[in-house]
């Protein structure tokens, strides 16, 4: 164990079992009943509440906080779920510091917002632990809808369609449903198999069947689905990964950050997961932070995140950047990958070019830096891994209007794969839900 901890290369077992356990516990431990009361009491129950306007799913935040403060967490959960059936996951993963909590008047006044995310988690946990189901299916309509993708967008869409009495079949390429909730979100944000528990909770409404291991483009065609079903919703996310466009990037040890995180999320024994002693992560978003932090938590000694622009341009929130720094990750700015250095086909370092903004354009300054490392994670954005199967694309995503309708009148799309979103779980949920309302309106039409 001691040898593995300090050895170069990509190796498993860098930590003791107790260290793995401690490193991967809940990032934000839940509030207990008393703490929830105290926190709920801090809310001013604002009229035209700015927190609510900042929530992509428009949850009535002052109402659910009031319900908690009056000892009715179940009612609070119903308020949350009526807008966002994945309110439990969103309570864990939403960058609240950029959404509701940033807008909270107590943030403005004292720099200390009401802890809306933790209160939402408290209420939804109470309801889910009791398996309280708040929604019933309307009378069966006889309409059948295919949902492709069992991520947040697909699940939210399916639940709302089931509520309206439609029959839904979800197809997903992966062995388990949940999308990035199951395969992508950092493990310390969603512990104890919560993603699967939430899928069970959402589908308990009835009228939803899930077929895993069925991929659009491989096992299913969009034309066939559009013919066999009354409507189709595409929530296939972004399965492709951008290339570094650096020389030599195909050598052993250069890995897609999303694949690394998926392996980590599916691992039942973290000590079996190999990680480099010195790791470099290329990128400035949430995925880059998650890969960097989790490699540090797996025992990497030195983890450096490298971003080609400045701190202020990073997609990762200040909270995420601070989290990375607190876990011992070094973040370096104004550096772009140029060449992966290797010996015997394995990574030994990365050469980077210094960059600067000149007349609004990012250019290399001509200077370079080298960081020695055994592993490089690519986290420079995901791409649509589909040609759209016949629906129009725009800017590399499926083109949709404000209701999620594509160029084909029988096909809707939402979440990361569709134009207009911001690649957050909560936005995917909002888009899936709203597309379901649009589908229902069209199918119930005259
Ligand atoms: C590493 C990482 C960490 C993140 N962390 C956060 C976070 O902390 N907070 C946050 O708000 N957001 C986070 N995000 C973003 C968030 O996870 C996504 O915005 C959200 O999951 C999008 O939901 P979706 O349903 O559109 O797509 P996905 O969650 O990607 O789900 C798409 C589903 O479609 C399936 N699929 C794909 N192609 C096919 C096909 N051809 N046929 C059938 N099925 C297919 C996939 O298997 C998958 O189940 C993170 C993203 C990543 C990559
Ligand atoms: S803005 Fe803050 S104080 Fe006002 S209702 Fe929302 S959570 Fe409560």
């Amino acid at each position: 164990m001691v040898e593995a901890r300090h050895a170069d290369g990509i190796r498993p077992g860098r930590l003791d079992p107790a260290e793995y356990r401690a490193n991967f516990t809940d990032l934000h431990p839940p509030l207990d009943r008393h703490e929830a009361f105290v926190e709920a009491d801090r809310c001013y129950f604002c009229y035209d509440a700015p927190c609510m306007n900042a929530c992509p799913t428009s949850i009535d935040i002052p109402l659910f906080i009031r319900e908690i403060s009056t000892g009715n967490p179940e009612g609070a959960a119903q308020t949350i779920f009526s807008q966002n059936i994945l309110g439990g996951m969103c309570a864990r993963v939403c960058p609240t510091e950029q959404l509701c909590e940033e807008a909270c008047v107590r943030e403005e006044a004292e720099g200390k917002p009401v802890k809306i995310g933790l209160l939402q988690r408290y209420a939804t946990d109470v309801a889910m632990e009791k398996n309280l189901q708040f929604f019933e299916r309307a009378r069966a309509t006889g309409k059948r809808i295919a949902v492709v993708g069992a991520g947040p967008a697909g699940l939210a869409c399916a639940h709302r369609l089931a509520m309206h009495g439609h029959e839904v079949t979800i197809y997903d390429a992966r062995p388990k449903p949940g999308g990035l909730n199951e395969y992508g979100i950092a493990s310390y944000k969603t512990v104890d198999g919560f993603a699967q528990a939430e899928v069970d909770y959402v589908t308990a409404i009835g009228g939803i069947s899930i077929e895993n291991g069925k991929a659009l483009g491989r096992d299913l065609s969009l034309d066939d689905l559009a013919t066999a079903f009354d409507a189709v919703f595409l929530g296939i996310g972004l399965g492709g990964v951008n290339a570094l466009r650096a020389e030599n990037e195909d050598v052993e040890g250069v890995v897609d950050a999303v694949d690394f995180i998926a392996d980590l999320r599916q691992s039942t024994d973290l000590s079996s997961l190999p990680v480099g002693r010195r790791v470099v992560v290329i990128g400035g978003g949430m995925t880059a932070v998650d890969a960097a932090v989790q490699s540090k938590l797996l025992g990497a000694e030195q983890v450096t995140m490298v971003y080609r622009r400045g701190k202020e341009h990073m997609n990762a929130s200040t909270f995420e950047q601070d989290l990375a720094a607190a876990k011992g990750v070094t973040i370096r700015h104004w550096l772009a990958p140029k060449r992966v250095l290797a010996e015997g086909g394995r990574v030994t370092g990365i050469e980077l070019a210094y960059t600067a903004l000149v007349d609004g354009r990012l250019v290399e300054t001509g200077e370079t830096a080298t960081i020695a490392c055994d592993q490089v994670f690519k986290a420079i954005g995901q791409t649509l891994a589909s040609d759209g199967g016949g629906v129009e694309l725009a800017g590399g995503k499926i083109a949709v209007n404000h209701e999620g309708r594509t160029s084909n009148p029988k096909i809707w799309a939402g979440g990361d794969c569709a134009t207009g979103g911001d690649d957050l779980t909560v936005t995917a949920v909002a888009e899936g839900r709203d597309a379901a309302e649009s589908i229902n309106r069209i199918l119930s039409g005259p």
Side-chain angles (χ1 to χ4, degrees):
M1 182 73 72
V2 171
E3 267 173 30
R5 184 191 291 254
H6 299 295
D8 274 346
I10 303 173
R11 292 166 194 278
R14 289 192 179 276
L15 303 176
D16 295 326
E19 289 176 298
Y20 285 111
R21 270 196 303 280
N23 284 355
F24 286 91
T25 51
D26 217 329
L27 181 63
H28 301 291
L31 300 178
D32 64 25
R33 190 164 174 273
H34 175 71
E35 288 166 333
F37 269 123
V38 171
E39 194 55 33
D41 261 355
R42 294 187 60 236
C43 180
Y44 295 143
F45 309 116
C46 306
Y47 175 72
D48 196 16
C51 55
M52 184 170 162
N53 295 328
C55 172
T57 52
S58 307
I59 291 172
D60 192 336
I61 294 168
L63 174 61
F64 93 68
I65 296 181
R66 189 183 286 284
E67 287 166 328
I68 292 174
S69 73
T70 56
N72 180 14
E74 295 85 356
Q78 183 166 8
T79 301
I80 295 160
F81 288 140
S82 64
Q83 289 297 108
N84 180 341
I85 194 63
L86 277 80
M89 183 60 81
C90 290
R92 290 159 165 79
V93 307
C94 262
T96 49
E97 67 283 357
Q98 291 176 318
L99 298 170
C100 54
E101 292 180 17
E102 183 182 52
C104 174
V105 295
R106 294 203 76 149
E107 165 65 18
E108 175 93 16
E110 334 151 24
K112 208 166 166 262
V114 175
K115 292 176 184 158
I116 301 167
L118 278 173
L119 287 170
Q120 178 165 318
R121 175 163 174 189
Y122 168 72
T124 51
D125 279 358
V126 167
M128 287 176 71
E129 270 155 28
K130 296 183 185 169
N131 195 22
L132 295 177
Q133 291 286 329
F134 300 106
F135 309 98
E136 278 179 14
R137 296 190 65 201
R139 201 155 49 84
T141 62
K143 303 283 186 194
R144 295 171 61 242
I145 294 110
V147 168
V148 188
L155 289 169
C157 182
H159 185 270
R160 189 55 68 103
L161 289 168
M163 262 174 75
H164 286 303
H166 307 304
E167 201 72 37
V168 182
T169 305
I170 307 183
Y171 298 102
D172 197 290
R174 298 248 204 193
K176 286 188 194 172
L180 289 171
N181 286 354
E182 173 62 32
Y183 290 97
I185 299 289
S187 42
Y188 45 78
K189 290 186 186 170
T190 167
V191 299
D192 300 332
F194 182 77
Q196 289 313 299
E198 188 173 56
V199 171
D200 293 343
Y201 183 76
V202 169
T203 52
I205 187 170
I208 303 172
S209 60
I210 304 185
E211 296 195 21
N212 283 105
K214 291 270 172 67
L216 186 71
R218 188 188 67 199
D219 313 304
L220 309 160
S221 87
L222 201 47
D223 280 349
D224 288 350
L225 290 179
T227 307
F229 288 85
D230 294 291
V232 179
F233 174 79
L234 298 174
I236 54 176
L238 297 174
V241 177
N242 282 320
L244 286 183
R245 277 184 268 139
E247 229 179 278
N248 220 12
E249 69 177 275
D250 295 327
V251 296
E252 201 182 316
V254 181
V255 184
D256 290 345
V258 177
D259 290 344
F260 164 71
I261 293 168
D263 287 347
L264 198 150
R265 284 293 311 277
Q266 297 309 304
S267 168
T268 50
D269 174 14
L270 292 172
S271 70
S272 69
L273 274 185
V275 72
R277 179 152 84 101
R278 290 161 305 174
V279 170
V280 171
V281 182
I282 310 288
M286 201 138 46
T287 305
V289 169
D290 286 356
V293 169
Q294 290 178 113
S295 30
K296 196 85 182 70
L297 298 179
L298 281 177
E301 226 168 78
Q302 202 184 82
V303 180
T304 311
M305 258 177 82
V306 173
Y307 182 54
R308 66 196 173 120
R309 291 173 185 266
K311 178 179 169 61
E312 65 281 18
H313 305 113
M314 287 175 74
N315 274 337
S317 67
T318 310
F319 170 80
E320 302 267 348
Q321 294 178 45
D322 291 349
L323 174 72
K327 298 291 181 192
V329 173
T330 305
I331 306 182
R332 293 184 64 179
H333 302 103
W334 302 112
L335 284 169
K338 205 171 166 60
R339 190 158 61 103
V340 177
L341 309 174
E343 257 176 50
R346 291 215 186 119
V347 177
T348 56
I350 185 156
E351 187 182 308
L352 304 142
Y354 277 96
T355 56
L357 276 178
V358 177
D359 298 330
R361 279 187 50 240
L362 191 73
V363 294
E364 294 184 6
T365 64
E367 295 157 290
T368 58
T370 301
I371 303 178
C373 60
D374 340 273
Q375 197 167 27
V376 174
F377 289 120
K378 298 191 270 188
I380 50 172
Q382 284 101 260
T383 56
L384 189 66
S386 159
D387 61 3
V391 290
E392 271 173 31
L393 303 182
K397 292 192 171 192
I398 299 171
V400 291
N401 72 3
H402 64 284
E403 288 183 32
R405 301 197 72 172
T406 70
S407 56
N408 182 323
K410 281 187 87 175
I411 302 172
W412 281 251
D416 286 3
C417 69
T419 50
D422 51 12
D423 297 353
L424 292 177
T425 309
V426 66
T427 311
V429 171
E431 292 176 0
R433 175 200 69 190
D434 294 348
E437 290 297 349
S438 172
I439 294 170
N440 179 55
R441 195 170 49 74
I442 298 298
L443 295 186
S444 326

